[in-house]
Amino acid sequence: MISSFFGKTKPINYIVLSVFLFLFYSVFVFFEANQGINVDTIPLDVLTVGTLLLSIYVISRIIRTEKVTDFSSYAIFFFVLLFVAFSKVLGDKNAIFCNFFLLLAVWRLLAVKSIKNVKHKIFDASLLICIASLFYDWAVMFFLLVFFVINVYDRKTFKNWLVPIVGILTFFILVFTFLKVNGELSFFADHYRFSIGFLKTDFFTEPAIIKLLIYVFLLVVVMSLVFLKVRKKGGGKLVPLRIVFLAFIFGAFINLFKSVDSSPVLITFFPTAVFLTNYVETIKKAKLKEVVVGICIALSFVLFLLELNL
């Protein structure tokens, strides 16, 4: 029943998942974050939950326009389900905003395959990555994805390789002007520190990091299976999926580079949702598909309960 419901693309799917995420975020803010009702934080909380809901919509649009999966609601379903499994990310507003801008950047990069307005799309993606870096400095790692896309789709046009630099300079000029007016030029030195979290001696003994490593390992296995299926089936999804795969890898590295107190695992949710969707879509038997989806739901809530004690 659940698999057949999300196997279609209808407005009701988006509404159900949006309402669930809204309620889940509200409960998290009220209880887990111990904030209670604070009038001062309401505008930021509204902006945060609005960004989450908009992220769901953006993912549904990516699925429809870039065809990284078949037409279904599984991607936004798994995206929301990952918030249950990693509920603490809801307390990291920097991760939520960073993920949103990286999501838009990846969308622009996936759109390059049409070979139309390539420079504009590369510039947009570069600027969006720069904006994302305002929330997490290591987000600049996604510039590697920009150059990968240029190399894959239009590497012979030399100007394409210069566009990311133009995007960076544009961002720097705008932010520098703003900081200069407000007398806060120390922001660059204070924010862009590029610390490496895993160099800490006790980094890999943290429960959250162990959970992350298991999560990454399992996803790499799923992604390997999906790539094997896609190679046999064809259909032009291989290159877009490689882009999404690299987005996952860069997101995983950002998690290793950041401190234990932060939760940028959210950056990997979209790539994870895409590959889980592709895996589920390869299952032909309806009952087996229902079992797999049921296991994913059960596992998410088990991890949620375990995370409450971490």
Side-chain angles (χ1 to χ4, degrees):
M1 182 182 294
I2 297 176
S3 63
S4 60
F5 178 76
F6 289 106
K8 303 174 183 178
T9 53
K10 293 183 178 181
I12 187 65
N13 302 64
Y14 175 78
I15 293 171
V16 168
L17 292 171
S18 297
V19 170
F20 174 81
L21 186 57
F22 173 78
L23 293 175
F24 191 75
Y25 177 81
S26 300
V27 171
F28 175 85
V29 169
F30 189 78
F31 292 103
E32 179 66 15
N34 295 318
Q35 292 180 5
I37 300 176
N38 189 336
V39 177
D40 295 334
T41 62
I42 287 178
L44 181 57
D45 287 327
V46 170
L47 179 61
T48 303
V49 75
T51 302
L52 288 173
L53 299 181
L54 191 56
S55 296
I56 298 176
Y57 174 76
V58 169
I59 291 173
S60 67
R61 292 296 302 163
I62 293 174
I63 298 304
R64 182 176 292 275
T65 58
E66 308 308 329
K67 299 178 177 62
V68 288
T69 71
D70 294 337
F71 291 120
S72 70
S73 299
Y74 283 128
I76 58 176
F77 166 72
F78 285 120
F79 180 75
V80 172
L81 205 58
L82 285 165
F83 281 100
V84 179
F86 295 90
S87 60
K88 288 187 177 179
V89 302
L90 293 173
D92 190 346
K93 292 179 174 58
N94 281 337
I96 293 172
F97 295 127
C98 178
N99 174 73
F100 177 71
F101 288 106
L102 288 178
L103 189 60
L104 294 175
V106 172
W107 187 5
R108 295 301 284 166
L109 292 176
L110 287 169
V112 172
K113 70 178 179 181
S114 65
I115 314 298
K116 295 179 180 178
N117 300 318
V118 174
K119 295 181 183 64
H120 292 163
K121 293 172 182 176
I122 294 173
F123 177 82
D124 291 346
S126 301
L127 197 58
L128 288 165
I129 291 170
C130 287
I131 296 173
S133 73
L134 291 174
F135 303 98
Y136 272 116
D137 52 358
W138 276 112
V140 296
M141 186 181 295
F142 273 72
F143 274 106
L144 295 174
L145 188 61
V146 175
F147 290 114
F148 172 80
V149 170
I150 295 172
N151 183 65
V152 169
Y153 288 118
D154 197 11
R155 60 177 173 270
K156 293 183 179 179
T157 305
F158 179 71
K159 289 183 179 179
N160 288 341
W161 298 95
L162 301 178
V163 173
I165 300 175
V166 175
I168 294 172
L169 289 175
T170 302
F171 169 80
F172 176 78
I173 292 171
L174 292 174
V175 175
F176 179 85
T177 303
F178 176 81
L179 295 176
K180 181 69 173 178
V181 171
N182 290 276
E184 298 179 357
L185 289 178
S186 60
F187 170 81
F188 287 110
D190 295 336
H191 178 70
Y192 291 95
R193 293 179 178 273
F194 299 107
S195 58
I196 303 177
F198 67 78
L199 294 180
K200 292 174 58 179
T201 55
D202 59 342
F203 185 79
F204 289 101
T205 61
E206 295 286 342
I209 299 303
I210 295 173
K211 180 181 177 181
L212 171 67
L213 293 175
I214 295 173
Y215 162 74
V216 171
F217 173 76
L218 292 176
L219 259 296
V220 169
V221 172
V222 171
M223 289 173 175
S224 300
L225 294 174
V226 169
F227 276 124
L228 289 174
K229 294 283 186 179
V230 171
R231 281 199 182 97
K232 292 179 181 179
K233 186 178 179 181
K237 285 202 300 186
L238 188 59
V239 174
L241 283 180
R242 284 175 178 168
I243 295 172
V244 177
F245 171 74
L246 286 176
F248 174 82
I249 295 300
F250 295 147
F253 272 111
I254 290 174
N255 277 272
L256 292 178
F257 291 155
K258 293 305 296 182
S259 65
V260 177
D261 297 330
S262 56
S263 306
V265 67
L266 171 57
I267 297 171
T268 67
F269 283 7
F270 168 67
T272 297
V274 168
F275 277 94
L276 287 176
T277 299
N278 276 279
Y279 177 75
V280 168
E281 288 173 345
T282 61
I283 302 174
K284 302 302 180 182
K285 295 181 179 180
K287 290 184 178 179
L288 180 58
K289 185 179 293 186
E290 194 75 33
V291 170
V292 171
V293 172
I295 291 173
C296 290
I297 295 173
L299 183 59
S300 296
F301 279 93
V302 168
L303 290 173
F304 169 68
L305 294 174
L306 292 174
E307 194 167 73
L308 292 178
N309 298 319
L310 288 179

